[in-house]
Amino acid sequence: MAGWRERIYNGYVGYWAPLALLAFLTGMFWIGDRSLYHKLYYATLALPTLLVALVSPVRFLHQLRQPYLVLFLVFSLYVMLSLSWSPEQNYSKLKQPLYVLMLLLAVGAMAEHDMRRLVQCVALAAVFASLFALITMLMYGMDENRPERLEGMGALYNPLLTTHVYGFFTVMAMGALVTSRRYFAVKLSMFVVLLCLLFLTGSRTPLLALLVCVGWLVLLLGDRRVVVLAAVVSLAIILGFWGLDYNPLERGLSYRPFIWQDAWRQTLPVLWLGHGYDASIDIYLPDLDYLLADTHNLTLGVIYQTGLVGGVMWLSLYVYGFSQAWRYRSSGLVIISSVLLVYGFVAGMTEGSAFMSRPKEHWFIIWIPIALHFAVLRKVGTGMKGVSA
């Protein structure tokens, strides 16, 4: 019986999980429909991980030694508890944290089994992202009736949401550039292609988040390479705006201050515990005669639904992640995973409220960076041999 379980686990973590993760990271580009993307994740990664965890629980339980996973579980339990006072009381939402947990367990198991294979899997996904970005831009350029802002292909249809996915890979390429000289020309080409696509979306959020990421790299490394990178990225953004004849202030602040103020006003009556998970919100924009159902700030969305108690738990995921990144800043993989975490946190400050959702674009700025950072921290914390980025 023990040998049978071992064979199942080894086959899962050595072959199935890497292929499933690769499909998940690239599925938005080629699957064509968001509902199919959800099913892709459930069928290839979430369900197999759950089954293998039930068959070989000991292989997964020791991941609880990593505080990151404990913080996530505490936050998830509280979020689910808040359903009891939510006006919606949609208990089908109880499965949402399970989807995220399966991602954390799968990536953590892959890192423990073979960190090199996990790195290769994510790197290959970044190569695919660069190729799809190039194809998307070519088709956008050849379209005579193209919209003013690039919207994306496959399951991607919204300029800002598209930047969540491509911005994730842009930052990954940037982090890899400064942590290793291997395949420098390839990584630089990927970074340039992905950055060009971000410009064509016309979204300002990813560019702001990118600049903050550069600042984070300067703080972690503080050497000449990163200072040069900071100058190059800043110049590229300026030239990009100039070349596209795009004024980043033309749309003002897109009503963000008003939205945040009204969301905070609606939060104050239940400040400590919030309205409950999945509670809806209505924000009326009188200038546009338009009703929004989104706080346009992930952290504010967490506080609206789960109160300051949930907000502290949410922020603890990032505080712990950043503090451990500083502690292990000599590791190239920690630098890359932490800069992904920074990008996601900053990008989430101006968009979104669905912090615990089905697999979609928001996962690329929340749970995928957290999962990768969790896996890398387990690697450096247990003293496994390093892997070049």
Side-chain angles (χ1 to χ4, degrees):
M1 180 66 71
W4 173 70
R5 290 179 177 178
E6 193 70 14
R7 286 194 296 273
I8 290 179
Y9 178 80
N10 289 335
Y12 159 79
V13 79
Y15 301 99
W16 184 274
L19 291 174
L21 181 61
L22 178 63
F24 177 57
L25 292 175
T26 62
M28 275 283 179
F29 307 133
W30 50 264
I31 203 162
D33 184 87
R34 298 180 80 194
S35 63
L36 290 178
Y37 183 70
H38 301 154
K39 295 172 184 176
L40 172 73
Y41 175 73
Y42 303 150
T44 63
L45 194 59
L47 181 58
T49 302
L50 178 60
L51 294 176
V52 174
L54 293 174
V55 170
S56 304
V58 177
R59 285 288 198 170
F60 293 90
L61 285 175
H62 63 81
Q63 293 192 30
L64 287 172
R65 296 174 185 173
Q66 171 55 255
Y68 221 160
L69 186 59
V70 176
L71 289 172
F72 166 75
L73 290 175
V74 171
F75 173 67
S76 297
L77 289 173
Y78 174 73
V79 169
M80 295 303 97
L81 178 63
S82 73
L83 273 172
S84 62
W85 62 80
S86 170
E88 309 296 335
Q89 293 195 345
N90 183 2
Y91 289 103
S92 66
K93 295 289 184 179
L94 288 170
K95 59 182 180 241
Q96 307 287 35
L98 184 63
Y99 298 150
V100 180
L101 178 61
M102 291 304 102
L103 176 66
L104 292 170
L105 293 180
V107 175
M110 288 176 61
E112 181 183 5
H113 178 76
D114 189 347
M115 190 68 193
R116 188 178 301 277
R117 183 166 295 183
L118 174 61
V119 171
Q120 291 171 344
C121 174
V122 177
L124 183 58
V127 173
F128 277 125
S130 304
L131 293 175
F132 278 107
L134 187 59
I135 294 171
T136 299
M137 288 189 292
L138 289 174
M139 295 188 66
Y140 177 74
M142 292 186 294
D143 186 359
E144 296 181 356
N145 299 315
R146 60 179 176 272
E148 183 179 353
R149 300 171 61 186
L150 185 147
E151 296 176 347
M153 292 176 55
L156 299 170
Y157 66 94
N158 176 285
L160 181 56
L161 297 180
T162 296
T163 66
H164 290 351
V165 181
Y166 281 110
F168 169 87
F169 290 108
T170 305
V171 171
M172 183 188 298
M174 183 177 69
L177 272 172
V178 300
T179 54
S180 172
R181 294 183 179 274
R182 296 179 63 192
Y183 309 113
F184 182 84
V186 175
K187 290 184 285 191
L188 180 61
S189 301
M190 291 166 54
F191 176 70
V192 171
V193 168
L194 292 165
L195 183 60
C196 288
L197 184 137
L198 295 184
F199 276 118
L200 291 177
T201 64
S203 297
R204 296 164 294 179
T205 293
L207 301 178
L208 172 63
L210 190 64
L211 288 175
V212 176
C213 289
V214 171
W216 175 252
L217 290 174
V218 171
L219 182 64
L220 287 184
L221 297 174
D223 60 14
R224 188 174 62 181
R225 291 174 303 163
V226 186
V227 173
V228 171
L229 175 67
V232 169
V233 171
S234 301
L235 181 61
I237 290 177
I238 294 172
L239 292 176
F241 285 142
W242 177 75
L244 294 174
D245 193 23
Y246 174 65
N247 180 5
L249 301 178
E250 184 178 4
R251 301 200 307 270
L253 298 177
S254 299
Y255 296 94
R256 291 300 193 274
F258 177 85
I259 296 170
W260 298 335
Q261 181 182 17
D262 195 48
W264 183 251
R265 177 188 61 79
Q266 296 185 50
T267 304
L268 285 176
V270 287
L271 183 59
W272 288 105
L273 298 180
H275 291 276
Y277 177 54
D278 202 38
S280 59
I281 186 172
D282 292 328
I283 300 175
Y284 178 66
L285 300 180
D287 291 351
L288 301 178
D289 191 24
Y290 190 76
L291 191 65
L292 287 174
D294 193 326
T295 59
H296 282 72
N297 184 304
L298 283 171
T299 300
L300 187 54
V302 171
I303 296 174
Y304 174 82
Q305 293 188 9
T306 65
L308 288 181
V309 175
V312 169
M313 294 180 183
W314 166 264
L315 291 175
S316 69
L317 292 169
Y318 290 94
V319 171
Y320 179 81
F322 296 147
S323 64
Q324 293 302 296
W326 179 259
R327 178 183 178 185
Y328 296 113
R329 61 188 181 276
S330 60
S331 166
L333 292 181
V334 170
I335 291 172
I336 296 173
S337 63
S338 69
V339 80
L340 291 172
L341 198 66
V342 170
Y343 176 80
F345 182 73
V346 177
M349 294 303 288
T350 61
E351 198 279 330
S353 62
F355 59 92
M356 193 81 74
S357 65
R358 293 180 297 173
K360 59 179 182 178
E361 297 91 342
H362 289 81
W363 278 42
F364 283 84
I365 63 172
I366 308 175
W367 301 120
I368 297 176
I370 286 178
L372 292 175
H373 199 45
F374 160 70
V376 170
L377 289 179
R378 288 200 72 242
K379 168 199 171 297
V380 298
T382 54
M384 288 185 270
K385 294 182 179 180
V387 181
S388 298

